[in-house]
Amino acid sequence: MPSPLRFAEDPGIGTPGDDLHPALHPSVTNVPVTPAIESAEVRTYSDIPGQGGQIAAQPQWNSNSYYAPREDEKPPSSPTEYASGAKTPAELLRRLSLVDSNRPVMPDMDLRALHPNLNLSGGIISATFCIPHSLGFQSGRDWDVKPRRGTSALFDAFSHLAGPDTSWNHTLVGWTGEIKPAEGLPRPVPDSRVSANMASTNRPASVPLNKASAPIPVDASTRAPALQPPGEGVRVTKADRQRLEKQLIRDPGGKIVPVWLMDDSDETGGDGVMKDQARWRRYAEHELYTLFHYKQHEPTDGRAERKWWQDYYRMNQIFADRILELYKLGDIVWIHDYHLLLLPSLLRQRLPNIYIGFFLHVPFPSSEFMRCLSRRKEILTGVLGANMIGFQSYSYSRHFSSCCTRILGFDSSSAGVDAYGAHVAVDVFPIGIDATAVARTAFGDANIEAKIARIREQYPGQKIIVGRDRLDTVRGVAQKLMAFEMFLERYPQWREKVVLIQVTSPTSVEEEKEDSGHKISNKISDLVAKINGLYGGLEYTPVYHFPQYLSRDEYFALLRIADVGLITSVRDGMNTTSLEYVVCQKDNHGPVILSEFSGTAGSLSNAIHINPWDLGGVAECINNALAMPANVKADQHLKLYRHVTTNTVQVWASNYLKRLVTNLSSFDQSIATPALDKAKLLRRYQQSKKRLFMFDYDGTLTPIVKDPQAAIPSDRVIRTIKTLASDTRNAVWIISGRDQAFLDEWMGHIPELGLSAEHGSFIRQPKSDDWENLTEKTDMSWQKDVMEIFQHYTERTQGSFIERKKIALTWHFRRADPEYGAFQARQCKKHLEDTVAKKWEVEVMNGKSNLEVRPTFVNKGEIAKRLVNEYGHGTGDPPEFVLCAGDDFTDEDMFRALRGTKLPIDHVFSVTVGASSKRTLAGWHLLEPMDVISTIALLNGMADAGDVGAVAVVEAQHSADAA
């Protein structure tokens, strides 16, 4: 019977009475991580070069990129040298590929020269949730900086952009992550590349080296130092923060700028106190991560979610502040993943012409799932602040465009989304890996060769299926085991000839960490025990399950010796294990079985695709993969190999930036209208004492409806407007196209409210019942001619009708067939312009499903100008705060008039309402009337759940000002 593959040994595992599940025991999990999931404490591939203040020659952070060539290996200097000695076409291909060489990457063409109209600075600011390092802290000393698990491919891309192969000046901005006290923690032992003298001085003599966790010493009997009580938190002084920032600026992977997320209420004298540090990731990982992976929570009262959303909004705002400290005109800001979905819009609010790219590394759900998210509008409008949004696969991009249409009402296509006067490009960029570094590591280490030999001895004559996954429900480990059980049942000829080696590393996602009762771990353990009990014996164990991290050597040894790679994720963004498996199989040509629900499936078209929910289908594919002829395997692998070694992470980053710059050149982004910055609005409101509000009615305070008479204000609208107008510092006006009777009936009972009817033809001052006719001396003879034309089209357009006001005439077609009504409106407008408009001083205006004719001197702009000039019942007393909101082109007159005033620009908030892609003179946008009412409620001190983030930001600013 082959002895089990021993990845880690600890006599304490499974001790009776332990509350912790054995699979999650620290002595099992606190060993080196697999290459695709870097550890917050340890690095699998090697230590960071440049220890002791020495900076490496080239930027290298991550697992795949930091193995330098061995000193005895001189890289070829030309393609001829690469090819020399090749005896077969396959060998020639390998020599010329990325994998078996250190082929210099040709520098990209300078995008600044190709697109001079953009005035690019050459700078890139990449924003990701966490920096590539985990931090240990002890006040007054240098920070303990160690590699972080996760997104190794992304860190490779950053390393590439900061390196000599590109012309970019790259800066990485990210949160520090949870900071832990460093006192009492053992120092990491340098690897063989560090001198023996240095190694001997740094290595604690009392701690033996655990081979399974090299190069990190692990002593299972040593208890970890006790952390500070949660109530005290971690206090970091200003000097400590500056010390870390200096360390990170000199980082060998390029310039890193940390984002500090602290409890502002505890900041005194420059010190920052961090208590519940995990709060910043809760909304993203509890709400967004689960929904994006097609999982839903049970309904709750929403209190926790409200607090999480407040932290999420505030975190994105702090990121925006940090980026703007670094930003120079012409820089490109590249934002990554679901923790920062609000950041594009927050940056766009403050710099309307900034160049922003966004890339989502996880799946994006269909609109049916997305609409279940309570903050769906805020999330979608937040990310639409970017100029281009990238996804891992076409289905994710299609889902996003569909959500923008179905939830927000925006026009969209496969090329992008039209939102607020600008085009937001949507495209697909499957991420790759640093294939050169993977192959150099996997095939250039004698330790790996030795481990391969030992594994072969343990499983003589048996086929090896390898799986490596996180302990997440979305990784499909349970489905994999059930399919393998069915495989052994249906194909008995493979019993005792095949083993499955399954490695599960602990999850890094907050939501999955709260697996109550270790349900996932227990289910996997039960399935393993069941399979081994049914089909195993004294001399044969079908499944070897290792709930731990693997060392670098073990990981690559398994990938190289495997006969089949099995990945059964039920929902996944980009699975880099499958890409590394392809590189490591360049000699064996082992097939990879890949879930069709993985984002990698679209890229690896020559892999064996399976539906993990179809257990019988997976079992059949395992059989086919094991029985596949050698020539078929070689042919499939060659195609996969070419793809992986060609579409590397460096190519991914380059292609994304090229496409982004091309889109910036192709579409005029300067006309985009950013979402209303509610934090800025609230702060300005609180700082001012003389305030003026001007609101349109239809489409702004109430939705557009088929019957104009049915557009009555809701109780909430009336209460909200009444509360706003009751403040003596506020002058509140409704400037509508409605007639006097309608406004009197529905809004006239609010005495503090000012009213203007028929687009400024009539005005009623606050605390007055009398209407002033501003057009009483106007010749209204033109109405007869207009009525005849309107009547002509009414008779020919079923569902249309005429509304006669005292000054204006309106022809409505909102009840008619939309297409025919719009056609008739165009014909009617042309008729009016060719006749009445040439004879009288009137203008013909397109409204929302209507045409209106009115005198040319009557418009909302004149009223807005008058209200500003006469504010405070006299001239020379301008308001300190103006909020003007409207939804159609008649309200553009107000926005135009406000631009013509001498009011400071930061005192005026002109807001267009609606999902239209129109160009506007307004400075901000809101999506729908409900958002207008929510904004007014925010100013009234009754913030909705979606606005608590803005309140938190303003409160933090007040605290900072007070300090």
Side-chain angles (χ1 to χ4, degrees):
M1 173 180 175
S3 60
L5 185 61
R6 299 186 179 275
F7 292 127
E9 297 180 0
D10 179 25
I13 296 178
T15 303
D18 283 353
D19 292 333
L20 192 65
H21 189 277
L24 302 177
H25 196 284
S27 58
V28 173
T29 60
N30 290 349
V31 293
V33 64
T34 60
I37 310 178
E38 300 255 6
S39 170
E41 290 81 19
V42 295
R43 167 77 65 180
T44 59
Y45 282 52
S46 78
D47 290 329
I48 298 178
Q51 294 283 356
Q54 300 297 319
I55 300 176
Q58 294 186 16
Q60 302 174 8
W61 276 320
N62 47 74
S63 54
N64 291 341
S65 66
Y66 49 69
Y67 257 98
R70 293 184 301 188
E71 294 182 1
D72 58 344
E73 291 180 349
K74 232 180 164 180
S77 58
S78 69
T80 304
E81 290 187 31
Y82 283 123
S84 62
K87 298 179 180 179
T88 66
E91 176 66 16
L92 178 62
L93 175 64
R94 278 199 293 269
R95 286 173 177 264
L96 292 177
S97 70
L98 284 172
V99 175
D100 283 339
S101 70
N102 289 310
R103 183 177 66 191
V105 179
M106 293 299 293
D108 294 328
M109 295 185 67
D110 191 348
L111 294 179
R112 288 175 291 179
L114 292 175
H115 302 275
N117 59 310
L118 296 178
N119 296 317
L120 295 173
S121 66
I124 296 179
I125 301 175
S126 293
T128 186
F129 180 52
C130 290
I131 62 174
H133 308 297
S134 63
L135 303 175
F137 169 70
Q138 184 174 0
S139 185
R141 295 176 54 182
D142 281 349
W143 290 70
D144 189 10
V145 179
K146 297 178 181 178
R148 180 185 302 278
R149 298 189 187 106
T151 59
S152 61
L154 180 60
F155 294 154
D156 275 329
F158 296 154
S159 180
H160 167 68
L161 292 173
D165 294 328
T166 72
S167 58
W168 298 108
N169 178 20
H170 183 264
T171 302
L172 174 61
V173 175
W175 178 40
T176 59
E178 289 87 345
I179 296 174
K180 300 178 181 179
E183 186 176 4
L185 294 179
R187 292 283 182 180
V189 178
D191 64 9
S192 58
R193 289 176 297 167
V194 185
S195 66
N197 291 335
M198 185 179 295
S200 62
T201 57
N202 286 343
R203 178 179 297 167
S206 60
V207 181
L209 187 65
N210 184 337
K211 294 181 179 179
S213 60
I216 308 298
V218 174
D219 184 359
S221 63
T222 302
R223 197 176 283 274
L227 298 177
Q228 299 182 33
E232 297 182 11
V234 179
R235 181 175 293 276
V236 183
T237 67
K238 184 176 181 180
D240 290 326
R241 298 200 296 272
Q242 292 174 342
R243 186 179 301 109
L244 176 65
E245 291 174 7
K246 289 180 180 179
Q247 284 182 248
L248 295 180
I249 285 178
R250 303 191 304 267
D251 192 89
K255 182 181 178 182
I256 302 176
V257 176
V259 174
W260 300 94
L261 300 176
M262 294 176 287
D263 297 281
D264 294 336
S265 58
D266 293 321
E267 286 191 9
T268 55
D271 292 358
V273 177
M274 288 161 278
K275 295 181 179 178
D276 182 11
Q277 299 184 65
R279 61 188 281 196
W280 307 108
R281 61 170 78 240
R282 287 204 179 102
Y283 184 82
E285 297 182 4
H286 279 261
E287 300 296 312
L288 298 179
Y289 179 87
T290 52
L291 188 84
F292 283 11
H293 288 82
Y294 289 80
K295 298 195 299 180
Q296 286 183 275
H297 294 295
E298 294 293 325
T300 65
D301 61 8
R303 295 179 184 177
E305 289 83 349
R306 185 184 177 100
K307 173 61 178 167
W308 297 342
W309 172 256
Q310 179 177 324
D311 291 336
Y312 185 76
Y313 185 99
R314 185 173 161 215
M315 176 191 71
N316 277 260
Q317 186 71 60
I318 294 172
F319 263 84
D321 294 339
R322 190 61 157 160
I323 289 171
L324 292 177
E325 291 175 6
L326 308 170
Y327 176 80
K328 302 185 301 295
L329 187 64
D331 283 355
I332 292 175
V333 179
W334 192 4
I335 303 168
H336 295 269
D337 229 3
Y338 60 98
H339 293 89
L340 302 176
L341 286 168
L342 301 181
L343 184 55
S345 181
L346 293 174
L347 290 172
R348 181 77 57 200
Q349 289 169 352
R350 296 161 72 174
L351 289 176
N353 296 327
I354 189 173
Y355 303 144
I356 302 176
F358 182 90
F359 190 84
L360 186 67
H361 294 262
V362 298
F364 194 89
S366 69
S367 60
E368 294 304 314
F369 262 81
M370 189 64 188
R371 66 176 53 200
C372 297
L373 186 68
S374 58
R375 305 268 69 85
R376 58 196 183 186
K377 288 193 304 183
E378 291 86 348
I379 292 297
L380 291 174
T381 55
V383 74
L384 283 172
N387 299 105
M388 186 175 80
I389 304 170
F391 295 91
Q392 297 278 14
S393 74
Y394 173 72
S395 62
Y396 303 158
S397 69
R398 181 168 51 83
H399 288 162
F400 176 79
S401 297
S402 175
C403 286
C404 291
T405 299
R406 294 175 180 270
I407 295 174
L408 301 181
F410 292 149
D411 293 333
S412 66
S413 67
S414 58
V417 180
D418 294 324
Y420 304 107
H423 177 79
V424 180
V426 176
D427 218 328
V428 179
F429 303 90
I431 198 171
I433 59 172
D434 188 344
T436 304
V438 169
R440 185 171 61 236
T441 304
F443 291 92
D445 193 327
N447 290 332
I448 295 177
E449 300 294 340
K451 286 191 178 294
I452 291 175
R454 286 199 293 271
I455 295 173
R456 290 190 190 279
E457 292 175 1
Q458 292 177 4
Y459 306 99
Q462 291 179 324
K463 299 284 188 180
I464 299 176
I465 301 174
V466 169
R468 202 279 299 158
D469 306 271
R470 290 179 187 163
L471 197 61
D472 295 350
T473 55
V474 299
R475 304 299 171 181
V477 179
Q479 285 84 348
K480 181 186 303 184
L481 292 170
M482 287 188 287
F484 186 69
E485 178 188 356
M486 186 170 291
F487 162 74
L488 293 176
E489 176 188 347
R490 292 188 177 183
Y491 304 95
Q493 67 271 24
W494 288 109
R495 297 174 191 172
E496 301 188 7
K497 297 180 181 179
V498 176
V499 294
L500 170 63
I501 299 178
Q502 174 63 42
V503 182
T504 52
S505 53
T507 182
S508 60
V509 179
E510 278 285 309
E511 167 69 15
E512 299 286 355
K513 289 178 182 177
E514 298 183 2
D515 172 29
S516 60
H518 310 295
K519 293 179 182 178
I520 305 173
S521 303
N522 290 340
K523 184 174 183 179
I524 292 173
S525 299
D526 291 345
L527 285 170
V528 171
K530 179 183 176 183
I531 296 171
N532 289 339
L534 285 174
Y535 301 104
L538 294 177
E539 297 183 356
Y540 173 60
T541 303
V543 180
Y544 292 91
H545 177 224
F546 301 96
Q548 63 184 70
Y549 298 116
L550 292 185
S551 71
R552 176 206 67 177
D553 296 347
E554 292 160 345
Y555 176 74
F556 282 123
L558 277 180
L559 291 189
R560 284 185 56 185
I561 201 173
D563 294 285
V564 175
L566 184 56
I567 298 167
T568 56
S569 51
V570 296
R571 192 68 59 179
D572 203 359
M574 183 58 64
N575 191 295
T576 54
T577 301
S578 59
L579 306 179
E580 291 164 340
Y581 176 81
V582 169
V583 173
C584 292
Q585 284 290 315
K586 69 171 186 176
D587 295 326
N588 287 357
H589 306 153
V592 57
I593 300 175
L594 182 61
S595 168
E596 64 187 44
F597 296 107
S598 169
T600 322
S603 304
L604 300 183
S605 57
N606 288 283
I608 301 174
H609 292 175
I610 50 97
N611 177 356
W613 301 101
D614 178 11
L615 303 182
V618 177
E620 182 180 359
C621 288
I622 294 174
N623 175 65
N624 294 340
L626 292 171
M628 186 178 294
N631 62 325
V632 177
K633 289 197 294 185
D635 181 63
Q636 284 190 0
H637 181 266
L638 181 60
K639 295 174 182 176
L640 293 171
Y641 186 82
R642 284 173 175 168
H643 175 85
V644 173
T645 56
T646 302
N647 297 279
T648 62
V649 71
Q650 293 86 351
V651 173
W652 169 78
S654 177
N655 286 344
Y656 183 95
L657 292 171
K658 287 178 183 176
R659 199 81 58 84
L660 173 61
V661 171
T662 300
N663 277 293
L664 290 171
S665 294
S666 303
F667 299 98
D668 183 6
Q669 304 292 334
S670 63
I671 58 177
T673 310
L676 178 61
D677 187 343
K678 294 186 179 181
K680 180 179 180 180
L681 178 81
L682 179 60
R683 185 168 173 80
R684 183 62 211 165
Y685 177 83
Q686 293 175 346
Q687 291 174 342
S688 58
K689 295 183 179 179
K690 297 181 289 184
R691 309 160 182 154
L692 174 62
F693 295 84
M694 294 176 282
F695 300 112
D696 176 38
Y697 183 78
D698 289 286
T700 302
L701 296 180
T702 62
I704 297 292
V705 294
K706 291 280 187 182
D707 183 359
Q709 296 305 313
I712 60 176
S714 66
D715 180 61
R716 189 191 182 201
V717 170
I718 293 174
R719 284 188 289 104
T720 304
I721 293 294
K722 189 172 183 178
T723 303
L724 184 71
S726 65
D727 190 329
T728 56
R729 294 169 293 182
N730 298 340
V732 184
W733 285 79
I734 293 179
I735 304 175
S736 173
R738 293 284 186 164
D739 60 21
Q740 301 154 270
F742 183 92
L743 293 179
D744 266 334
E745 179 181 1
W746 295 108
M747 291 294 184
H749 64 285
I750 305 176
E752 301 88 357
L753 188 62
L755 301 174
S756 176
E758 298 194 28
H759 302 293
S761 300
F762 299 90
I763 190 170
R764 197 194 84 168
Q765 296 288 344
K767 299 183 180 179
S768 171
D769 294 330
D770 300 326
W771 286 89
E772 178 185 355
N773 186 352
L774 304 180
T775 62
E776 58 185 350
K777 297 180 181 180
T778 305
D779 184 359
M780 306 300 291
S781 303
W782 56 269
Q783 289 191 345
K784 180 181 177 182
D785 295 344
V786 173
M787 278 296 295
E788 292 177 356
I789 296 174
F790 276 174
Q791 190 64 41
H792 172 82
Y793 284 92
T794 301
E795 293 171 356
R796 289 159 177 77
T797 310
Q798 185 177 0
S800 65
F801 60 94
I802 301 170
E803 180 185 6
R804 183 162 194 162
K805 305 174 183 177
K806 291 187 177 180
I807 298 298
L809 290 174
T810 307
W811 182 67
H812 295 275
F813 57 92
R814 62 183 65 176
R815 296 178 185 171
D817 177 82
E819 293 184 3
Y820 185 67
F823 170 77
Q824 288 290 77
R826 290 192 296 269
Q827 297 298 314
C828 182
K829 183 179 180 182
K830 186 176 185 304
H831 192 171
L832 290 167
E833 289 173 342
D834 292 341
T835 56
V836 179
K838 291 182 178 180
K839 183 179 178 182
W840 305 92
E841 291 186 0
V842 297
E843 60 180 335
V844 184
M845 303 179 300
N846 278 314
K848 289 189 174 179
S849 299
N850 66 61
L851 277 179
E852 183 163 294
V853 182
R854 67 183 184 186
T856 53
F857 65 88
V858 174
N859 63 69
K860 295 181 179 182
E862 294 299 320
I863 293 296
K865 192 185 304 180
R866 174 175 172 173
L867 293 177
V868 170
N869 292 335
E870 296 181 359
Y871 181 83
H873 307 290
T875 57
D877 190 19
E880 300 170 346
F881 172 94
V882 178
L883 174 59
C884 177
D887 70 309
D888 66 19
F889 80 99
T890 63
D891 302 305
E892 296 295 317
D893 293 330
M894 289 195 293
F895 305 149
R896 185 181 294 105
L898 289 174
R899 286 194 172 197
T901 65
K902 296 182 180 180
L903 295 174
I905 190 171
D906 60 335
H907 290 192
V908 178
F909 295 84
S910 55
V911 182
T912 186
V913 182
S916 172
S917 58
K918 66 185 179 187
R919 298 188 183 188
T920 178
L921 294 172
W924 309 92
H925 78 246
L926 286 172
L927 188 61
E928 57 187 353
M930 184 189 304
D931 298 325
V932 178
I933 301 305
S934 295
T935 301
I936 300 172
L938 170 68
L939 302 182
N940 288 339
M942 299 177 289
D944 291 346
D947 294 330
V948 294
V951 175
V953 169
V954 173
E955 289 176 349
Q957 290 171 342
H958 287 326
S959 299
D961 293 342

